Coordinates of all heavy atoms in Angstrom, one line a residue:
A107 N 91.5 117.2 101.6 CA 90.5 116.3 102.3 C 90.7 114.9 102.0 O 90.6 114.0 102.9 CB 89.1 116.7 101.8
L108 N 91.1 114.6 100.8 CA 91.3 113.2 100.5 C 92.6 112.6 101.2 O 92.6 111.5 101.7 CB 91.6 113.0 98.9 CG 90.4 113.3 98.0 CD1 90.9 113.3 96.6 CD2 89.3 112.2 98.3
E109 N 93.6 113.5 101.4 CA 94.8 113.1 102.1 C 94.5 112.8 103.5 O 95.0 111.8 104.1 CB 95.9 114.2 102.0 CG 97.1 114.0 102.9 CD 97.9 112.8 102.4 OE1 98.2 112.7 101.2 OE2 98.3 112.0 103.3
E110 N 93.6 113.6 104.1 CA 93.3 113.4 105.5 C 92.4 112.1 105.7 O 92.6 111.4 106.8 CB 92.6 114.6 106.1 CG 92.3 114.6 107.5 CD 91.7 115.8 108.1 OE1 91.7 116.8 107.3 OE2 91.2 115.9 109.2
A111 N 91.6 111.8 104.7 CA 90.7 110.7 104.9 C 91.1 109.4 104.5 O 90.5 108.3 104.9 CB 89.3 111.1 104.1
R112 N 92.2 109.3 103.8 CA 92.6 108.0 103.1 C 93.1 107.0 104.1 O 93.3 105.8 103.8 CB 93.6 108.3 102.0 CG 95.0 108.8 102.4 CD 95.9 109.1 101.3 NE 97.2 109.6 101.7 CZ 98.2 108.7 101.9 NH1 98.0 107.4 101.8 NH2 99.4 109.1 102.4
D113 N 93.6 107.4 105.2 CA 94.1 106.6 106.3 C 95.2 105.6 105.9 O 95.2 104.5 106.1 CB 92.9 105.7 106.9 CG 93.2 105.0 108.2 OD1 94.1 105.5 108.9 OD2 92.6 104.0 108.5
G114 N 96.1 106.2 105.1 CA 97.2 105.4 104.7 C 97.1 104.6 103.4 O 98.0 104.1 102.9
A115 N 95.9 104.6 102.8 CA 95.6 103.8 101.7 C 95.8 104.7 100.4 O 95.6 105.9 100.5 CB 94.2 103.3 101.7
P116 N 96.2 104.1 99.2 CA 96.2 104.8 98.0 C 94.9 105.3 97.6 O 93.8 104.7 98.0 CB 96.8 103.8 97.0 CG 96.5 102.4 97.6 CD 96.5 102.6 99.1
V117 N 94.8 106.4 96.9 CA 93.5 106.9 96.4 C 93.5 106.9 94.9 O 94.4 107.5 94.3 CB 93.3 108.4 96.9 CG1 92.0 108.9 96.3 CG2 93.4 108.5 98.4
L118 N 92.6 106.2 94.3 CA 92.4 106.2 92.8 C 91.5 107.4 92.4 O 90.5 107.7 93.0 CB 91.7 104.9 92.4 CG 92.3 103.6 92.9 CD1 91.7 102.4 92.1 CD2 93.9 103.6 92.5
I119 N 92.1 108.1 91.4 CA 91.4 109.3 90.8 C 91.1 109.0 89.4 O 91.9 108.4 88.6 CB 92.3 110.5 91.0 CG1 92.6 110.8 92.4 CG2 91.7 111.7 90.3 CD1 93.6 111.8 92.7
A120 N 89.9 109.4 88.9 CA 89.3 109.0 87.7 C 89.7 109.9 86.5 O 88.9 110.2 85.6 CB 87.8 108.8 87.7
H121 N 90.9 110.3 86.5 CA 91.3 111.1 85.3 C 91.5 110.2 84.1 O 92.1 109.1 84.2 CB 92.8 111.8 85.6 CG 92.6 112.9 86.6 ND1 93.5 113.1 87.6 CD2 91.7 114.0 86.7 CE1 93.2 114.2 88.4 NE2 92.1 114.7 87.7
T122 N 91.0 110.6 83.0 CA 91.0 109.8 81.8 C 92.0 110.4 80.7 O 92.6 111.4 81.0 CB 89.6 109.9 81.1 OG1 89.3 111.2 80.7 CG2 88.5 109.4 82.1
L123 N 92.1 109.7 79.6 CA 93.0 110.1 78.6 C 92.6 111.6 78.1 O 93.5 112.4 77.8 CB 92.9 109.2 77.4 CG 93.7 109.4 76.1 CD1 94.2 108.1 75.5 CD2 93.2 110.3 75.2
D124 N 91.3 111.9 78.1 CA 90.8 113.2 77.7 C 91.4 114.2 78.7 O 91.8 115.4 78.4 CB 89.3 113.2 77.6 CG 88.7 112.2 76.7 OD1 88.6 111.0 77.0 OD2 88.4 112.7 75.6
D125 N 91.3 114.0 80.0 CA 91.9 114.9 81.0 C 93.4 115.1 80.8 O 93.9 116.2 80.9 CB 91.6 114.3 82.4 CG 90.2 114.2 82.8 OD1 89.5 115.2 82.7 OD2 89.7 113.2 83.1
Q126 N 94.1 113.9 80.4 CA 95.5 114.1 80.2 C 95.8 115.0 79.0 O 96.7 115.9 79.0 CB 96.1 112.7 79.9 CG 97.6 112.7 79.8 CD 98.3 112.8 81.0 OE1 98.2 113.8 81.8 NE2 99.1 111.8 81.3
A127 N 95.0 114.9 77.9 CA 95.1 115.7 76.8 C 95.0 117.2 77.1 O 95.7 118.1 76.6 CB 94.2 115.3 75.6
E128 N 93.9 117.4 77.9 CA 93.7 118.9 78.3 C 94.9 119.4 79.2 O 95.2 120.6 79.0 CB 92.4 118.9 79.1 CG 91.1 118.6 78.4 CD 89.9 118.2 79.2 OE1 90.0 118.4 80.5 OE2 88.9 117.7 78.7
T129 N 95.4 118.5 80.0 CA 96.5 118.9 80.9 C 97.7 119.3 80.0 O 98.4 120.3 80.3 CB 96.9 117.8 81.9 OG1 95.8 117.6 82.7 CG2 98.1 118.2 82.7
V130 N 98.0 118.5 78.9 CA 99.1 118.8 78.1 C 98.8 120.2 77.3 O 99.8 121.0 77.3 CB 99.3 117.7 77.0 CG1 100.4 118.1 76.0 CG2 99.7 116.4 77.7
L131 N 97.7 120.4 76.9 CA 97.4 121.6 76.2 C 97.6 122.8 77.2 O 98.1 123.9 76.8 CB 95.9 121.7 75.7 CG 95.8 121.0 74.3 CD1 94.3 121.0 74.0 CD2 96.5 121.6 73.3
L132 N 97.1 122.7 78.4 CA 97.3 123.7 79.4 C 98.8 124.0 79.6 O 99.2 125.2 79.7 CB 96.7 123.3 80.8 CG 95.2 123.5 80.8 CD1 94.7 122.8 82.1 CD2 94.7 125.0 80.8
G133 N 99.6 122.9 79.7 CA 101.0 123.1 79.9 C 101.7 123.8 78.7 O 102.6 124.7 78.9
L134 N 101.3 123.4 77.5 CA 101.8 124.1 76.3 C 101.5 125.6 76.3 O 102.3 126.5 76.0 CB 101.2 123.5 75.1 CG 101.8 122.1 74.6 CD1 100.9 121.5 73.5 CD2 103.2 122.3 74.1
G135 N 100.2 125.9 76.6 CA 99.8 127.3 76.6 C 100.4 128.1 77.6 O 100.7 129.4 77.5
R136 N 100.8 127.6 78.8 CA 101.5 128.3 79.8 C 103.0 128.3 79.7 O 103.7 129.1 80.5 CB 101.1 127.7 81.2 CG 99.6 127.9 81.5 CD 99.1 127.1 82.6 NE 97.7 127.4 83.0 CZ 97.0 126.6 83.8 NH1 97.5 125.5 84.4 NH2 95.7 126.9 84.1
G137 N 103.5 127.6 78.8 CA 105.0 127.6 78.6 C 105.7 127.1 79.8 O 106.8 127.7 80.2
S138 N 105.1 126.1 80.5 CA 105.7 125.6 81.8 C 106.8 124.6 81.7 O 107.3 124.1 82.7 CB 104.6 125.0 82.6 OG 103.5 126.0 82.8
G139 N 107.2 124.3 80.5 CA 108.4 123.4 80.3 C 107.8 121.9 80.2 O 106.7 121.6 80.3
A140 N 108.9 121.0 80.0 CA 108.6 119.6 79.7 C 107.8 118.9 80.8 O 107.0 118.1 80.6 CB 109.9 118.9 79.4
R141 N 108.2 119.3 82.1 CA 107.5 118.7 83.2 C 106.0 118.9 83.2 O 105.2 117.9 83.5 CB 108.1 119.2 84.5 CG 107.8 118.4 85.7 CD 108.5 118.8 87.0 NE 109.9 118.9 86.8 CZ 110.7 117.8 86.9 NH1 110.2 116.6 87.2 NH2 112.0 117.9 86.8
S142 N 105.6 120.0 82.8 CA 104.1 120.3 82.7 C 103.5 119.6 81.6 O 102.4 119.0 81.7 CB 103.9 121.8 82.6 OG 102.5 122.1 82.5
I143 N 104.2 119.6 80.4 CA 103.6 118.9 79.2 C 103.6 117.5 79.4 O 102.8 116.7 78.8 CB 104.4 119.3 78.0 CG1 104.4 120.9 77.8 CG2 103.9 118.7 76.7 CD1 105.4 121.4 76.8
A144 N 104.4 116.9 80.3 CA 104.5 115.5 80.6 C 103.1 115.0 81.2 O 103.0 113.8 81.4 CB 105.7 115.1 81.4
G145 N 102.4 115.9 81.7 CA 101.0 115.6 82.2 C 101.0 114.9 83.5 O 102.0 115.0 84.3
M146 N 100.0 114.1 83.8 CA 99.8 113.5 85.1 C 100.4 112.2 85.1 O 100.4 111.5 84.1 CB 98.3 113.4 85.4 CG 97.6 114.7 85.6 SD 95.8 114.6 85.7 CE 95.2 114.2 84.0
L147 N 101.0 111.7 86.3 CA 101.5 110.5 86.4 C 100.5 109.4 86.7 O 99.5 109.6 87.4 CB 102.5 110.4 87.6 CG 103.8 111.3 87.5 CD1 104.4 111.4 88.9 CD2 104.7 110.7 86.5
P148 N 100.6 108.2 86.1 CA 99.8 107.1 86.4 C 99.7 106.8 87.9 O 98.7 106.5 88.5 CB 100.2 105.9 85.7 CG 101.1 106.6 84.6 CD 101.7 107.8 85.1
Y149 N 100.8 106.9 88.6 CA 100.9 106.6 90.0 C 102.0 107.6 90.6 O 103.1 107.6 90.4 CB 101.4 105.3 90.3 CG 101.2 104.9 91.8 CD1 100.0 105.2 92.5 CD2 102.2 104.1 92.5 CE1 99.9 104.9 93.9 CE2 102.0 103.8 93.8 CZ 100.9 104.2 94.5 OH 100.7 103.8 95.8
D150 N 101.5 108.5 91.5 CA 102.3 109.5 92.1 C 101.8 109.4 93.6 O 101.0 110.1 94.1 CB 102.0 110.9 91.6 CG 102.8 112.0 92.2 OD1 103.8 111.6 92.9 OD2 102.5 113.2 92.2
P151 N 102.3 108.4 94.4 CA 101.8 108.0 95.6 C 101.5 109.2 96.5 O 102.3 110.1 96.6 CB 103.0 107.2 96.2 CG 103.7 106.6 95.1 CD 103.6 107.7 94.0
P152 N 100.3 109.2 97.1 CA 99.3 108.2 97.2 C 98.3 108.1 96.0 O 97.3 107.4 96.1 CB 98.7 108.3 98.5 CG 98.6 109.9 98.6 CD 99.8 110.3 98.0
W153 N 98.5 109.0 95.0 CA 97.4 109.2 94.0 C 97.6 108.2 92.8 O 98.7 108.3 92.2 CB 97.4 110.6 93.5 CG 97.5 111.6 94.6 CD1 98.6 112.5 94.9 CD2 96.6 111.9 95.7 NE1 98.4 113.2 96.0 CE2 97.2 112.8 96.6 CE3 95.4 111.3 96.1 CZ2 96.6 113.3 97.7 CZ3 94.8 111.7 97.2 CH2 95.3 112.8 98.0
G154 N 96.6 107.5 92.6 CA 96.7 106.6 91.3 C 95.7 107.0 90.3 O 94.5 107.3 90.6
R155 N 96.1 106.8 89.0 CA 95.1 107.2 87.9 C 95.2 106.1 86.9 O 95.8 106.2 85.9 CB 95.7 108.5 87.3 CG 95.7 109.7 88.2 CD 96.3 111.0 87.6 NE 96.2 112.1 88.5 CZ 97.2 112.4 89.3 NH1 98.3 111.6 89.4 NH2 97.1 113.4 90.2
P156 N 94.4 105.0 87.2 CA 94.3 103.9 86.3 C 93.7 104.1 84.9 O 94.0 103.3 84.0 CB 93.4 102.9 87.1 CG 93.3 103.5 88.5 CD 93.5 104.9 88.4
L157 N 92.9 105.2 84.8 CA 92.3 105.4 83.5 C 92.8 106.4 82.6 O 92.3 106.9 81.6 CB 90.8 105.9 83.9 CG 90.0 105.0 84.8 CD1 88.6 105.5 84.9 CD2 90.0 103.6 84.3
L158 N 94.2 106.7 82.8 CA 94.8 107.7 81.9 C 94.9 107.2 80.4 O 95.1 108.1 79.5 CB 96.2 108.0 82.4 CG 96.3 109.0 83.6 CD1 97.8 109.3 83.9 CD2 95.5 110.3 83.3
G159 N 94.7 105.9 80.2 CA 94.7 105.5 78.8 C 93.3 105.1 78.2 O 93.1 104.6 77.2
V160 N 92.3 105.5 79.0 CA 90.9 105.3 78.7 C 90.1 106.5 78.3 O 90.2 107.6 79.0 CB 90.2 104.6 79.9 CG1 88.7 104.4 79.6 CG2 90.9 103.3 80.3
R161 N 89.4 106.5 77.2 CA 88.6 107.7 76.8 C 87.4 107.9 77.7 O 86.9 107.0 78.2 CB 88.1 107.5 75.3 CG 89.3 107.5 74.3 CD 90.2 108.8 74.3 NE 89.4 110.0 74.1 CZ 89.3 110.7 73.0 NH1 89.8 110.2 71.9 NH2 88.6 111.8 72.9
R162 N 87.0 109.2 77.8 CA 85.9 109.6 78.6 C 84.6 108.8 78.0 O 83.7 108.4 78.9 CB 85.7 111.0 78.5 CG 84.8 111.6 79.5 CD 84.8 113.1 79.5 NE 86.0 113.6 80.1 CZ 86.7 114.6 79.6 NH1 86.3 115.2 78.5 NH2 87.8 115.1 80.3
S163 N 84.5 108.6 76.8 CA 83.4 107.9 76.2 C 83.3 106.5 76.7 O 82.1 106.0 76.8 CB 83.4 108.0 74.7 OG 84.6 107.4 74.2
V164 N 84.4 105.9 77.0 CA 84.3 104.5 77.5 C 83.8 104.4 78.9 O 83.1 103.5 79.2 CB 85.8 104.0 77.5 CG1 85.9 102.6 78.1 CG2 86.3 103.8 76.0
T165 N 84.1 105.4 79.8 CA 83.6 105.3 81.1 C 82.1 105.6 81.1 O 81.3 104.9 81.9 CB 84.2 106.4 82.1 OG1 83.9 107.7 81.5 CG2 85.7 106.3 82.1
H166 N 81.6 106.4 80.2 CA 80.1 106.6 80.0 C 79.5 105.3 79.6 O 78.4 104.9 80.0 CB 79.8 107.7 79.0 CG 80.1 109.1 79.6 ND1 79.0 109.8 80.1 CD2 81.2 109.9 79.7 CE1 79.4 111.0 80.4 NE2 80.8 111.0 80.3
G167 N 80.2 104.6 78.6 CA 79.7 103.3 78.2 C 79.6 102.3 79.3 O 78.7 101.5 79.3
A168 N 80.7 102.3 80.1 CA 80.7 101.4 81.3 C 79.6 101.6 82.2 O 78.9 100.6 82.7 CB 82.0 101.5 82.0
C169 N 79.3 102.9 82.5 CA 78.1 103.2 83.3 C 76.8 102.7 82.7 O 75.9 102.2 83.4 CB 78.0 104.6 83.6 SG 79.3 105.2 84.7
E170 N 76.7 102.8 81.4 CA 75.5 102.3 80.7 C 75.3 100.9 80.8 O 74.2 100.3 81.1 CB 75.5 102.7 79.2 CG 75.3 104.2 79.0 CD 75.4 104.5 77.5 OE1 75.4 103.6 76.6 OE2 75.4 105.8 77.1
E171 N 76.5 100.1 80.6 CA 76.4 98.6 80.9 C 76.0 98.2 82.2 O 75.3 97.2 82.4 CB 77.9 98.1 80.6 CG 78.2 98.0 79.1 CD 79.5 97.2 79.0 OE1 79.6 96.0 79.4 OE2 80.5 97.8 78.5
L172 N 76.4 99.0 83.2 CA 76.0 98.7 84.6 C 74.7 99.2 85.0 O 74.2 99.0 86.2 CB 77.2 99.3 85.6 CG 78.5 98.6 85.5 CD1 79.6 99.5 86.1 CD2 78.5 97.3 86.1
G173 N 74.1 100.0 84.1 CA 72.8 100.6 84.5 C 72.8 101.7 85.5 O 71.9 101.9 86.3
L174 N 74.0 102.4 85.5 CA 74.2 103.4 86.5 C 73.9 104.8 85.9 O 74.1 105.0 84.7 CB 75.7 103.5 87.0 CG 76.2 102.2 87.7 CD1 77.7 102.3 87.9 CD2 75.4 102.0 89.0
A175 N 73.3 105.7 86.7 CA 72.9 107.1 86.2 C 74.0 108.0 86.8 O 73.9 108.4 88.0 CB 71.5 107.4 86.7
P176 N 75.0 108.5 86.1 CA 76.0 109.4 86.6 C 75.3 110.8 86.8 O 74.4 111.2 86.1 CB 77.1 109.4 85.5 CG 76.7 108.3 84.6 CD 75.3 108.0 84.7
W177 N 76.0 111.5 87.7 CA 75.6 112.9 87.9 C 76.4 113.8 86.9 O 77.6 113.5 86.5 CB 76.0 113.3 89.3 CG 75.9 114.8 89.5 CD1 74.7 115.6 89.5 CD2 77.0 115.7 89.9 NE1 75.0 116.9 89.8 CE2 76.4 117.0 90.0 CE3 78.3 115.6 90.1 CZ2 77.1 118.1 90.4 CZ3 79.1 116.7 90.4 CH2 78.5 118.0 90.6
H178 N 75.7 114.7 86.3 CA 76.4 115.7 85.4 C 76.7 117.0 86.0 O 75.8 117.7 86.4 CB 75.6 115.9 84.1 CG 76.3 116.8 83.1 ND1 77.4 116.5 82.4 CD2 76.0 118.1 82.8 CE1 77.8 117.5 81.6 NE2 76.9 118.5 81.9
D179 N 77.9 117.4 86.3 CA 78.3 118.6 86.9 C 78.1 119.7 86.0 O 78.7 119.8 84.9 CB 79.8 118.5 87.3 CG 80.2 119.7 88.2 OD1 79.4 120.6 88.4 OD2 81.4 119.6 88.7
P180 N 77.2 120.7 86.4 CA 77.0 121.9 85.5 C 78.3 122.7 85.3 O 78.4 123.3 84.2 CB 75.9 122.7 86.4 CG 75.3 121.7 87.3 CD 76.3 120.7 87.6
H181 N 79.2 122.6 86.2 CA 80.4 123.3 86.0 C 81.2 122.8 84.8 O 82.1 123.5 84.3 CB 81.4 123.2 87.3 CG 81.0 124.1 88.3 ND1 81.5 124.1 89.6 CD2 80.0 125.1 88.4 CE1 80.9 125.0 90.3 NE2 80.0 125.6 89.6
N182 N 81.0 121.6 84.4 CA 81.6 121.0 83.2 C 81.2 121.6 81.9 O 81.7 121.3 80.9 CB 81.4 119.4 83.1 CG 82.2 118.8 84.2 OD1 83.2 119.2 84.7 ND2 81.8 117.5 84.5
D183 N 80.1 122.5 82.0 CA 79.7 123.2 80.8 C 79.9 124.7 80.9 O 79.3 125.5 80.1 CB 78.2 122.9 80.5 CG 78.0 121.4 80.2 OD1 78.8 120.9 79.4 OD2 77.0 120.7 80.6

Side-chain angles (χ1 to χ4, degrees):
L108 293 172
E109 173 63 46
E110 184 174 351
R112 68 184 183 88
D113 193 25
V117 180
L118 306 187
I119 299 171
H121 289 133
T122 64
L123 184 149
D124 300 80
D125 295 305
Q126 184 76 300
E128 293 161 12
T129 298
V130 174
L131 280 178
L132 282 170
L134 282 168
R136 291 169 178 167
S138 304
R141 193 176 303 278
S142 177
I143 302 170
M146 296 176 284
L147 292 168
Y149 190 46
D150 183 17
W153 316 115
R155 299 178 178 89
L157 305 185
L158 282 184
V160 176
R161 294 300 305 262
R162 193 173 286 138
S163 59
V164 172
T165 64
H166 283 262
C169 287
E170 290 179 9
E171 283 189 63
L172 292 166
L174 298 173
W177 173 63
H178 179 74
D179 185 352
H181 282 173
N182 287 337
D183 294 321

